[in-house]
Amino acid sequence: MSSTAERHRTITDLDHVRIHNLLRRQAAAGAATDHAEELSEVIDLADQVRPQEIGTHIVTMYSKVRVADASGAERSLTLCYPPDADAAQGMISVLSPIGTALLGLSVGDTARWLGADGKPGQLHVRAIDFQPEASGDYTA
């Protein structure tokens, strides 16, 4: 197991249910990956709160997050579900190692993961530029 699941996280109960159902559908279709097990562990170990109670400093599904790499270079990423993923547009699937690493972190935390090539990666969460729950959207 990587350090991804060991970090303290908070997610909404709605995100938990939706991700759990996504993982269950993937397993039923025979499309589950080793990484799916890690994501399952992350959501099961996270503190769960109602969408109306999630802090505005926490990365939730469809949050637009400003991150910085080790050199300090910043970019924006939006955490999304697989059908909306488009790396060129900064739309990162929660099923990817980077997406799983970001889910439930707070501003100031560092997301850490192992890439498909086995190399470690990390991004520092600098800011949340948009969070659906903060704008009153509790169903995104």
Side-chain angles (χ1 to χ4, degrees), residues 1 22 26-27 34 41 51 53 59-60 67-69 73 77 83 92 95 108-109 112 120 127 136:
M1 175 180 73
L22 172 66
Q26 279 203 316
D34 291 339
E41 187 174 337
E53 298 168 350
V59 180
T60 63
V67 296
D69 62 20
L77 301 174
I92 304 300
L95 291 179
D109 287 345
R112 293 180 175 83

Side-chain angles (χ1 to χ4, degrees), residues 75 77 84-92:
R75 61 183 165 153
L77 301 174
D84 297 324
D86 182 347
Q89 298 297 314
M91 301 291 288
I92 304 300

Side-chain angles (χ1 to χ4, degrees), residues 2-107:
S2 77
S3 62
T4 302
E6 297 168 8
R7 304 189 64 75
H8 175 76
R9 295 154 189 271
T10 304
I11 64 173
T12 68
D13 50 10
L14 182 58
D15 285 349
H16 182 274
V17 167
R18 287 180 174 168
I19 294 168
H20 175 77
N21 289 339
L22 172 66
L23 293 171
R24 192 178 69 224
R25 283 190 308 271
Q26 279 203 316
T33 65
D34 291 339
H35 185 71
E37 185 176 315
E38 185 173 342
L39 177 55
S40 179
E41 187 174 337
V42 164
I43 65 170
D44 287 344
L45 292 175
D47 292 337
Q48 292 179 45
V49 298
R50 293 182 29 215
Q52 297 86 344
E53 298 168 350
I54 194 88
T56 58
H57 62 283
I58 296 173
V59 180
T60 63
M61 293 304 299
Y62 291 100
S63 290
K64 184 174 184 178
V65 183
R66 197 166 352 118
V67 296
D69 62 20
S71 73
E74 285 191 4
R75 61 183 165 153
S76 289
L77 301 174
T78 300
L79 185 61
C80 65
Y81 291 102
D84 297 324
D86 182 347
Q89 298 297 314
M91 301 291 288
I92 304 300
S93 170
V94 70
L95 291 179
S96 72
I98 297 171
T100 297
L102 287 169
L103 180 66
L105 292 184
S106 297
V107 171

